[in-house]
Amino acid sequence: MYGTYDESFAALSSGAGDFLMEAYPKYTQYLIDEFVTDRRTVVYVGPSGIIGETGWYIPEYVWEVSTITDSYIAYYDERIQAMFRLNTIPVGFQLDNTTLRSAVDDIDLILESPACNAALNASLVAADCTATVEAFLELLRVRANLEDHGTPIPLWTMPDAWGTLDRVIVQNLSLNFNVTCPVSQTLGVDETMDAMVAVTRVAYIARKPFIQYWTKPHYVFADSSPARLHRVQLPEFDLSCNVSSSAYRCGYENERVLKLMSSKLVAKNSVAASFVDHFTYTSQDQSNILGQMVFNGKSLEEATCEWVIANYAAMEANMPDPSLLVTPTEVSPALRIAFIVVAAAELAIFVLFAFGVVHYRRVRAVLSGSPKFLVLMLLGASWSMFWVILSYQEEVTPNLCIARVWARHLGFAIIFAAIFLKTWRIASVFNIKSSKGGQLTDRVLLYRFLLIVGYATVNLVAWSVSTPPTTGTVVSNNESYLVCKVTWWDNAIYIEELVAMVALGLLCYRVRKAPSAFNESKHIGLAVCNWIIMGIILQIILNSTTGTADFFFAIQSLEVLVPVPIAVMILMAPKFYLILRGKGNDVATSSYRGSNPNGSHPKTPSANAGGSGSNQKSGDMEMSSGNESENGRTAQLSGKAAVQEIRSLRNENTRLLKEVEAMRTQLLRMHNPHSGNAV
């Protein structure tokens, strides 16, 4: 807010100010010539929609008495002038309707009556006729309020320093007005306007007839104003009107108010520049906004918001396209590069883990976790990283949306299938009903792995063909940015993945007590819980809040960058930690919980007690690698290692057979009716 037009234009020129919604050409033409035409630091953006209407105004109750009072011609009529000499306009007041013809007819009737006609009155004298006519004239004066004999009526105007044309107009139009300023001429601009409003308010409440200078828009014309005013039409203004001429007989010129903005605004905020360019409203609209502030005590923001809500339907046609009301933005290059670097680093770690799994595949720490499925899990984790890495492309396109969808969901399917089938095999080994279904070798599990991944692929193909992912615009804090649209396909697949993770979590809970190396089922369960919790939290944040492009990109990226590496580290870190410490083969993986270090049950004699070191480990059974045949293992091993492996398997089988036989004998004794131990 600036006090003068000179200050406003200087601020616009320097960029300290952004736009000026109300510039009257009459007072700013020299500034427009300098800053708009010559310097070009200020831009003209068209009319604001406001028409400055300077002129004379009368109260509504005067206009209701006679509608001709909204034209200056009516004020040549003595009856109209007489009405303005009254102290108040009573409710229901009417002007005398006597016309010149009716007055002449009444006088003719008086002359033909006995009061003036000697033929009808023999005793008639001239004084009687004169008295009758004078009485009738007095009656006319009373009816027409002409007792004051033409005293000028007051016209309230602004102080002389304002340079109003009222005195010139009254003189050249020969109107019977007394031009006067009803307030002190030493007040400032705002104080003068407030004092004039106070004069108007008092006179309006008293129903006093008055005619007054005003310029609309002003809060005195607001719908909430205590006064209702009508404009008096003066002679039309045209280019031939010259106030310095003695023949000047024109009214005030209506002014189309202009909008101006700083030339720097487009680069500074294209949203605001577009808004200023398209926005328009009327004189009455501005009067109402000002009236809410003055008469109802509201702030400018409150009054403006209330007006926008009340008039949105009417102003919508003059507003720009909603997509132009925001500034298009993109993800910060620094943030995008940072997340891509993090994703690439995680991808490199997964590749190193994969090489480590292949290299240490015969070490028990890795062998117990099924090396093939560990590699597949790492493959899925690596594939998921392209959800972020593909964002190297700055522009969001439909093709990018499709590629990212495939990276995100196919990567999840590969990770889930590998982990689920590993856990399922453990559950099957320790479940009598499941164990009757056949051997779950790696070949069988790989077939089922392909079925799970194939199902996910079919879903993605159907999605990409039927309703391929497209881009959409998100608006937040006057900024817009492109994102991949969320459709029912997204929700459906996310729900499927949530159900799958819950099922995997329940499966891990089911086999939590099953003996396996490094308690892998519990680690998987921990990774699943972490994945579910973080996924739900991030989805809630993403769908319940609308932030900047950087915020949206960061939350989406974290959906992969956080839970995937955490799950991988929970499963892989313990294995490689022990391997690096040289203890990768020091963990018993017996299929029977509570076995001795040599693999035998505490209550079952060892098959080769006191044997060699190789025989002491012969009880260890790599259960999680599947029930592979001896020939298959022999093909992978050679020489001494193959013989030792076969011996270990045979000793374990011998131990298991002895345990089964001991348990069968015990059961027979318990259920033998001839035995004393029968129950």
Side-chain angles (χ1 to χ4, degrees):
M1 298 293 290
Y2 298 94
T4 65
Y5 279 123
D6 293 87
E7 293 176 354
S8 298
F9 273 79
L12 293 178
S13 179
S14 65
D18 294 324
F19 54 85
L20 178 63
M21 296 295 292
E22 184 178 316
Y24 286 86
K26 178 180 179 180
Y27 305 108
T28 60
Q29 189 58 54
Y30 72 98
L31 294 169
I32 293 174
D33 293 339
E34 177 183 355
F35 291 97
V36 177
T37 306
D38 298 336
R39 297 189 184 184
R40 297 185 180 182
T41 54
V42 178
V43 180
Y44 166 69
V45 285
S48 67
I50 296 176
I51 304 296
E53 301 175 5
T54 301
W56 300 344
Y57 290 84
I58 58 174
E60 186 177 60
Y61 49 78
V62 170
W63 178 80
E64 290 174 347
V65 171
S66 177
T67 57
I68 67 172
T69 53
D70 61 3
S71 172
Y72 79 98
I73 299 175
Y75 296 91
Y76 292 112
D77 191 330
E78 284 291 340
R79 295 174 303 163
I80 301 299
Q81 293 183 35
M83 180 176 61
F84 276 83
R85 298 185 186 103
L86 298 175
N87 291 325
T88 185
I89 302 293
V91 177
F93 175 80
Q94 293 182 347
L95 284 177
D96 176 52
N97 292 323
T98 301
T99 63
L100 181 61
R101 179 177 295 279
S102 65
V104 170
D105 290 342
D106 289 340
I107 292 176
D108 286 341
L109 290 175
I110 292 174
L111 294 176
E112 294 173 359
S113 69
C116 291
N117 191 343
L120 299 177
N121 184 3
S123 62
L124 177 66
V125 294
D128 295 335
C129 182
T130 300
T132 303
V133 172
E134 289 179 351
F136 176 72
L137 291 176
E138 184 64 24
L139 175 63
L140 287 180
R141 290 191 184 96
V142 173
R143 289 167 60 185
N145 302 297
L146 302 177
E147 295 90 345
D148 53 8
H149 306 289
T151 303
I153 62 177
L155 168 64
W156 294 337
T157 188
M158 294 295 176
D160 295 336
W162 288 45
T164 61
L165 302 177
D166 293 338
R167 300 182 191 280
V168 176
I169 295 173
V170 168
Q171 180 180 349
N172 291 346
L173 294 179
S174 302
L175 291 169
N176 191 25
F177 287 169
N178 177 27
V179 182
T180 180
C181 180
V183 300
S184 173
Q185 299 204 29
T186 62
L187 300 174
V189 175
D190 293 337
E191 291 80 4
T192 298
M193 298 299 289
D194 293 340
M196 289 292 289
V197 171
V199 170
T200 304
R201 183 200 298 264
V202 172
Y204 197 93
I205 293 174
R207 291 182 63 87
K208 180 180 178 65
F210 63 88
I211 184 168
Q212 184 179 14
Y213 169 97
W214 273 116
T215 296
K216 185 180 182 180
H218 190 274
Y219 62 82
V220 75
F221 297 98
D223 294 339
S224 57
S225 172
R228 296 288 183 271
L229 304 178
H230 282 265
R231 190 182 183 192
V232 176
Q233 181 62 49
L234 294 172
E236 293 293 337
F237 181 91
D238 57 41
L239 296 178
S240 64
C241 294
N242 186 355
V243 70
S244 62
S245 171
S246 59
Y248 180 83
R249 292 175 59 86
C250 299
Y252 287 93
E253 178 184 8
N254 288 343
E255 288 193 273
R256 188 178 295 274
V257 181
L258 308 180
K259 297 181 299 183
L260 299 145
M261 71 178 183
S262 172
S263 60
K264 300 178 176 63
L265 183 58
V266 174
K268 181 178 179 181
N269 190 327
S270 61
V271 176
S274 176
F275 175 80
V276 174
D277 186 27
H278 290 81
F279 181 75
T280 179
Y281 65 148
T282 66
S283 302
Q284 190 60 39
D285 291 332
Q286 189 186 78
S287 296
N288 287 335
I289 293 173
L290 295 173
Q292 289 292 327
M293 298 170 59
V294 174
F295 300 116
N296 296 330
K298 296 184 178 179
S299 66
L300 177 60
E301 291 77 10
E302 292 172 338
T304 303
C305 289
E306 183 174 304
W307 173 80
V308 169
I309 294 172
N311 298 274
Y312 184 77
M315 65 178 287
E316 187 175 13
N318 298 323
M319 295 295 289
D321 187 331
S323 63
L324 300 177
L325 291 176
V326 295
T327 300
T329 59
E330 295 179 347
V331 178
S332 168
L335 181 68
R336 186 175 61 254
I337 292 173
F339 273 83
I340 291 174
V341 169
V342 172
E346 292 184 1
L347 174 61
I349 293 174
F350 299 154
V351 172
L352 290 176
F353 273 139
F355 279 113
V357 169
V358 174
H359 181 72
Y360 295 108
R361 63 186 180 277
R362 293 188 180 90
V363 178
R364 295 188 179 212
V366 175
L367 184 63
S368 64
S370 300
K372 294 185 179 66
F373 291 95
L374 291 176
V375 171
L376 289 175
M377 180 192 71
L378 293 169
L379 173 64
S382 301
W383 185 264
S384 298
M385 291 302 105
F386 286 96
W387 167 261
V388 179
I389 294 175
L390 287 172
S391 297
Y392 76 91
Q393 179 180 332
E394 296 184 9
E395 183 181 0
V396 180
T397 63
N399 290 335
L400 175 63
C401 293
I402 294 175
R404 295 186 74 216
V405 161
W406 277 79
R408 166 72 176 82
H409 296 292
L410 187 59
F412 173 86
I414 295 173
I415 297 173
F416 168 78
I419 297 177
F420 178 82
L421 292 173
K422 279 164 42 66
T423 310
W424 178 259
R425 176 154 58 189
I426 296 174
S428 298
V429 169
F430 290 93
N431 186 293
I432 298 176
K433 295 181 180 179
S434 298
S435 63
K436 293 181 179 179
Q439 296 180 345
L440 292 178
T441 62
D442 284 350
R443 179 176 298 180
V444 173
L445 293 184
L446 286 173
Y447 173 74
R448 297 182 182 182
F449 171 85
L450 293 176
L451 291 179
I452 295 175
V453 175
Y455 172 77
T457 304
V458 169
N459 279 340
L460 293 173
V461 170
W463 184 359
S464 302
V465 173
S466 62
T467 53
T470 58
T471 60
T473 302
V474 174
V475 178
S476 175
N477 297 325
N478 293 330
E479 293 184 353
S480 68
Y481 50 92
L482 289 177
V483 299
C484 297
K485 280 186 178 179
V486 175
T487 63
W488 70 270
W489 275 102
D490 291 270
N491 297 327
I493 291 184
Y494 274 117
I495 291 174
E496 283 186 349
E497 292 178 352
L498 177 61
V499 172
M501 295 296 283
V502 171
L504 177 56
L506 294 175
L507 184 61
C508 291
Y509 179 79
R510 182 181 177 184
V511 299
R512 67 191 183 282
K513 296 182 180 180
S516 61
F518 311 107
N519 207 4
E520 193 173 53
S521 297
K522 290 186 178 180
H523 290 165
I524 294 174
L526 179 62
V528 168
C529 291
N530 171 75
W531 198 319
I532 292 175
I533 293 173
M534 293 204 64
I536 292 176
I537 292 175
L538 292 174
Q539 281 296 316
I540 290 175
I541 294 174
L542 196 63
N543 291 285
S544 62
T545 59
T546 303
T548 62
D550 291 347
F551 171 82
F552 190 90
F553 173 77
I555 295 299
Q556 273 201 330
S557 300
L558 291 176
E559 286 186 286
V560 168
L561 292 181
V562 176
V564 172
I566 288 178
V568 170
M569 294 302 294
I570 289 176
L571 294 179
M572 304 299 297
K575 300 178 184 297
F576 284 93
Y577 174 76
L578 291 175
I579 290 175
L580 294 177
R581 293 187 62 187
K583 298 181 179 181
N585 287 314
D586 292 350
V587 178
T589 55
S590 173
S591 60
Y592 195 91
R593 183 150 37 99
S595 61
N596 288 328
N598 63 0
S600 62
H601 190 273
K603 295 183 179 180
T604 305
S606 174
N608 190 13
S612 65
S614 62
N615 290 336
Q616 290 177 358
K617 295 181 181 179
S618 63
D620 294 341
M621 180 72 176
E622 306 301 342
M623 138 204 82
S624 59
S625 295
N627 299 324
E628 297 179 351
S629 64
E630 290 184 6
N631 292 334
R633 289 290 296 166
T634 305
Q636 296 180 16
L637 303 174
S638 60
K640 215 171 190 182
V643 174
Q644 185 176 349
E645 180 71 13
I646 293 174
R647 286 178 180 175
S648 297
L649 291 174
R650 287 176 177 173
N651 290 334
E652 179 68 12
N653 288 336
T654 301
R655 185 186 63 78
L656 289 174
L657 288 174
K658 289 182 178 180
E659 287 184 6
V660 171
E661 181 63 24
M663 292 177 65
R664 188 179 70 82
T665 302
Q666 182 66 21
L667 289 174
L668 287 175
R669 290 175 179 174
M670 292 174 62
H671 296 283
N672 188 348
H674 303 286
S675 172
N677 297 326
V679 294

